[in-house]
Every structure is written in structure tokens, then in C-alpha cells.
Amino acid sequence: MEVFLIRVLQFMLAISILVLLHEGGHFFFSKLFGVRVEKFYLFFDPSIWKWDGSLLKFKPKKSDTQYGVGWLPLGGYCKIAGMIDESFDKEQMAQPVQPWEFRAKPAWQRLLIMIGGVLVNFLLALFIYSMVLFWWGDTYIPARNTTMGMKFNKEAKALGFQDHDIPIMADGEPIKSLEWGSALSDALRSISNAQEVTVLRSGKEVVVKTPGNLDLLNMISETPAFAMPFMPALVDSVAAGTNPAKAGLRKGDTVVSVNGVAISSWNEITDQIGIMEDVYNSQEPKANGEQLELKAPLPTATLVVQHAGAETLDTLRIQLTTLEKDRLGLGAFFHNPYVDYKQHHEEYSFLASFPAGIAHGAHTLSSYVSDLKYVFTSKGFKSLGGFGAIGSLFPATWDWHRFWEMTAFLSIILAFMNILPIPALDGGHVLFLIYEMVTRRKPSEDFLIKAEYVGFGLLILLMVVANLNDILRWLGYM
């Protein structure tokens, strides 16, 4: 419960910052051009019965703007007078045009008002990335220092990769790191788009020819994955009283085989456990009168191990344990070689942090845009996530470094998604404004209102699907 609350608080704080500044961008340009802003709200405030939906609201003297906080934490809004937006205020639009309204201003001013939020989010992301580098620097394990290399699946080996290869370049571009997380995703993305991948093999550089159009989503989602950091089959710790401890598994043991299959890495152990997990979860509860019988007892894995300092092998039978939902595990921790690899730390001065932060932000955006093509595949559609998926990206403990990195990442996503030419998003308004500036013809208000309804409906549908995916994943159906 504590972990859940910490993630929720980080998520809510990040979203609040991003929404306030995004809407602040619209607000700034509106005020700059003399356009009246009627409401400026964090979160939405749909009314419920006789309540107007505001948790907090105030209106300064001699101000046209009411500021407030709504009860529905799905974003926020800036209600600009004389503009067709998600408020669908047809009554106002039916009145004569006033000089302080959005619709009374020239197209170029309206365009700047509409891109104000996106512009702020882009600049905010670049600023945060720069300040993160200035304050914390950049600490990572260079790919060349990953001395145990990678563990490849059969598809990768068919292309010419071998276990323990260390990918260091893709089409001549250096691969920065192979660490778990975004660095590994970046490395696999580079490999998926490359026609030549240079690897270190036994200390020598070897070039592996690749197709240049590998499916990144398949590379990551396959079991086993296309490539993962090589993890030795060395037991790091076993908690007292657990099934592996009772069976005789100890710190420093090396696992030689699982269920009669010879293995040489932790990666292969998880593959074998995964097979047992799939078989176990495929069982259906059997009817017994009006009762449903439970599934069979958790399966037992047969391990052949070599104890630390011993020459002979020992056979252990260990009943698996439940990890979460329908996941099963051995119940022991294996050695993570990344704690042994040499790290590299780079400091940035205040001025040097800005070009580095801009480069990092540009790379993050290009990677995100590159991956969007997978949304239109069945696997990609299922991988869509809502608030739960986004919230889970935040760390389980409060970490300001990670918090600001995630806030910058979400700021870039918010900016990019908002500039898409979809009605109800800023990009939809921008599209119609560009049309007006090019053709000298303004779309009718009736058309704009209908387009806003269509766009708003699409956004609601997408939000429902994404959050439904979260629920299905939580229930173990995806």
C-alpha cells in the first residue's frame, strides 16, 4: 500500500506541474494578445447535481479569470472566450463577436495561442533534462564494460549473434549502454533499425549483418527476448525458511540444469520456470458439484547444482512460489553482474548542461515517435497503458532524480500527443488555423463544433481502451 501511495503522489505531482504549465502557455499568449480567459483550472470540474464541481475556486478583483481546482484529476483546462473547445459553449458562440474574444483575433495570433501549451511542454522537458544533467550528471555502464555480454534467443543467433557478444555499434553509431531499462530499449531499437551491428566477441570486433527492419516489439516481447543482459546461474541469496532454503539451495551455488535441461545462465532458468508457469496457469478449476476445486499444488522444479567449494553435483527439488498474479518464481535471488561492471560518470557545467539536455530530449522524442508505428499492430494496441501503466513507471521509493526524469519524459509525450492533428487536441485547432491561413477561408463554427465532438469522442475511447488494458493486465488476462 505504501508503494502504491508513493507512486500515486509522484504521478499526481508530475501531472499537476505539466498541466499547470501547459495551460499556462495558452494563458500567456491569450493575455499577450488581449484575449479574455474565463477559467483556468487544474483538473476538470464537471458539475454533480447542485455542486459546480470545484474543490477550490477564486477570482481576483478586477480580473476576468476564475482560477480553481476541479475534482476529476484527468488534466486541466483554460477556457478562452470565443473559442470552440471541450466546453462546447454554443451559447457564447451565438452572441456577436467581441474584440476581446479568441475568434476576433487574426489567425497568426490564434495560432500562437494554440501552440503555447505544446511549446511550454517541449521547452520544460529540455530544461528539466538539462538541470538533471547539471545537478546529478550522467552515470551509466558503457556497453564495452558489460564484460559478460548478452544472452540471445534463437532468432538472434540465426542472424549471427552469439551468447556473450557485446553490441557496441549499430550502423557505425555507438551503443551507449546495455543496462536494464531505457538504455537496453535504446540499444535494441538501434539494432532493430541497423543493417550492421558491431559486437565485441572474445575481445575482437565482429560485424553481424542484420535486416534493418526487425520488429522491436517482437524483440522485446518474445520469450526468451531477442537479447538480454547475460546473468550467470550463480545464487546470490536465499532467504531462511523459504522453499529453496529448505531444499538445500545456498548462496554461492551454481545451477547446472533445470528439469533435465542444461543451463548456463539465469536467463535460461527463467525460461524453464516460464514453461512451468504456462503449463500451471493453463489448468482450469474443475467442477465438483457446486464447488470449484482449486488448481493442483504449485509445481516443483528439479535443479542440479554445484555447491560453492564442492566438486560434486547435488540434485534439489524445489516447489515454486507465487510472485504476483499468475507469476511463479524459484524464490531465490541470482547474482546481478551489473554491480561488478565499471561505471562511467560525466559531470556537466551549467552552460554545458543545456546542449546535452537538448540532445537527450531530442533523442527521447525521436525514439518515442519511432515506436508509435507499433501502436497500429495487435501487440502494440494491447501494450497501450493508461494511468496505472504511467504511474508504475515512477519508482517505489521517492527519488527526485527519477521523478524529474519521468516528469521530463511525460512532458515530451504530452507535447507530442497534443500537437497531433486530431480535433479536440491543440493540433486539431492548429490544423484548422493553418487551413484558414493558406486558403483565406475560415471553417464554419458548426463544422468546428462537430469536429470537436468527434475528436473528443475518439480521445475518450482511447482513454477507456488504455485504462481497460491496465485492468486486464492487473487481472492477469493480458
Side-chain angles (χ1 to χ4, degrees):
M1 187 62 179
E2 181 183 354
V3 170
F4 172 78
L5 290 176
I6 289 173
R7 283 182 167 148
V8 167
L9 287 173
Q10 290 180 92
F11 175 66
M12 294 298 293
L13 177 59
I15 290 298
S16 297
I17 292 171
L18 298 181
V19 168
L20 280 172
L21 292 177
H22 177 93
E23 300 303 332
H26 296 309
F27 184 90
F28 171 79
F29 283 105
S30 296
K31 290 296 185 181
L32 182 66
F33 298 130
V35 176
R36 184 174 296 176
V37 177
E38 297 176 354
K39 297 179 75 174
F40 186 94
Y41 262 64
L42 173 65
F43 306 149
F44 294 112
D45 60 333
S47 58
I48 301 176
W49 197 37
K50 295 183 180 180
W51 179 42
D52 68 359
S54 300
L55 297 175
L56 172 69
K57 62 179 178 179
F58 65 96
K59 189 174 184 179
K61 291 182 179 179
K62 299 181 180 180
S63 174
D64 299 314
T65 308
Q66 176 182 295
Y67 302 88
V69 178
W71 66 269
L72 188 61
L74 299 180
Y77 69 97
C78 179
K79 189 177 186 306
I80 300 171
M83 174 185 165
I84 297 170
D85 58 12
E86 61 271 12
S87 66
F88 301 107
D89 192 348
K90 296 181 181 180
E91 184 178 335
Q92 183 187 71
M93 300 304 293
Q95 302 300 317
V97 179
Q98 301 298 324
W100 37 261
E101 287 186 328
F102 177 83
R103 54 183 170 167
K105 302 300 177 180
W108 70 270
Q109 291 185 3
R110 285 180 278 138
L111 181 63
L112 286 174
I113 291 172
M114 291 318 306
I115 66 173
V118 168
L119 180 62
V120 166
N121 281 132
F122 273 128
L123 293 177
L124 175 65
L126 299 181
F127 178 75
I128 292 176
Y129 278 134
S130 300
M131 291 301 95
V132 166
L133 290 173
F134 170 67
W135 189 261
W136 285 283
D138 188 15
T139 302
Y140 62 95
I141 298 171
R144 289 178 178 270
N145 293 357
T146 311
T147 53
M148 285 194 178
M150 308 288 283
K151 177 72 178 176
F152 296 90
N153 67 8
K154 63 181 181 180
E155 286 78 13
K157 289 177 179 177
L159 294 173
F161 291 100
Q162 296 181 13
D163 287 342
H164 299 293
D165 279 354
I166 307 171
I168 56 172
M169 285 191 292
D171 282 343
E173 291 294 322
I175 292 175
K176 181 179 178 180
S177 178
L178 301 170
E179 292 179 78
W180 298 98
S182 60
L184 180 58
S185 297
D186 284 344
L188 291 175
R189 185 179 297 107
S190 297
I191 292 172
S192 72
N193 296 321
Q195 295 184 327
E196 289 186 352
V197 178
T198 304
V199 301
L200 277 180
R201 183 179 295 167
S202 302
K204 297 181 180 180
E205 292 189 5
V206 177
V207 174
V208 178
K209 299 290 185 180
T210 46
N213 60 351
L214 293 172
D215 189 309
L216 177 62
L217 198 58
N218 283 338
M219 292 170 70
I220 295 173
S221 62
E222 286 174 340
T223 304
F226 183 90
M228 296 295 283
F230 190 96
M231 308 283 284
L234 179 66
V235 179
D236 186 72
S237 62
V238 181
T242 60
N243 291 343
K246 293 174 182 177
L249 194 67
R250 300 191 293 267
K251 175 182 174 65
D253 289 352
T254 299
V255 180
V256 176
S257 74
V258 177
N259 294 340
V261 178
I263 59 97
S264 59
S265 68
W266 170 84
N267 312 70
E268 293 167 299
I269 295 174
T270 58
D271 294 342
Q272 293 303 314
I273 299 299
I275 293 172
M276 299 175 70
E277 177 184 290
D278 290 341
V279 172
Y280 178 73
N281 288 327
S282 67
Q283 300 177 80
E284 295 291 340
K286 297 180 181 179
N288 181 15
E290 296 182 357
Q291 301 291 325
L292 284 177
E293 295 181 354
L294 297 177
K295 291 180 180 178
L298 291 170
T300 297
T302 301
L303 274 63
V304 175
V305 303
Q306 184 173 13
H307 295 299
E311 296 182 1
T312 57
L313 301 179
D314 193 7
T315 300
L316 309 178
R317 290 180 57 79
I318 304 174
Q319 187 177 40
L320 302 184
T321 56
T322 302
L323 299 179
E324 56 179 10
K325 305 186 187 82
D326 292 329
R327 299 294 310 279
L328 301 180
L330 193 60
F333 294 97
F334 285 78
H335 181 67
N336 179 8
Y338 276 76
V339 301
D340 304 323
Y341 296 149
K342 185 178 179 180
Q343 290 185 332
H344 173 76
H345 180 74
E346 194 166 350
E347 295 281 354
Y348 292 88
S349 67
F350 182 75
L351 293 178
S353 68
F354 286 98
I358 292 170
H360 183 61
H363 171 74
T364 301
L365 176 60
S366 64
S367 299
Y368 178 74
V369 173
S370 172
D371 293 347
L372 274 181
K373 62 185 177 222
Y374 297 110
V375 172
F376 302 100
T377 66
S378 59
K379 281 187 178 180
F381 192 72
K382 291 178 181 178
S383 69
L384 285 174
F387 298 113
I390 297 172
S392 67
L393 296 175
F394 286 90
T397 56
W398 199 284
D399 181 340
W400 283 112
H401 184 190
R402 181 62 179 157
F403 169 81
W404 286 116
E405 284 187 331
M406 277 302 307
T407 302
F409 176 65
L410 292 178
S411 191
I412 279 185
I413 292 178
L414 181 62
F416 179 78
M417 295 301 291
N418 262 287
I419 204 61
L420 291 176
I422 300 173
L425 292 178
D426 295 343
H429 294 283
V430 168
L431 177 66
F432 296 137
L433 282 166
I434 292 175
Y435 168 81
E436 178 185 343
M437 294 169 74
V438 171
T439 65
R440 308 282 184 181
R441 296 174 58 191
K442 189 175 182 179
S444 69
E445 291 181 357
D446 182 61
F447 169 80
L448 292 176
I449 289 174
K450 289 178 180 177
E452 192 79 8
Y453 274 119
V454 171
F456 196 71
L458 288 174
L459 294 179
I460 293 295
L461 178 62
L462 181 62
M463 187 179 297
V464 169
V465 169
N467 285 284
L468 181 60
N469 282 351
D470 283 350
I471 295 171
L472 292 176
R473 275 190 288 269
W474 181 73
L475 293 174
Y477 289 106
M478 290 183 64

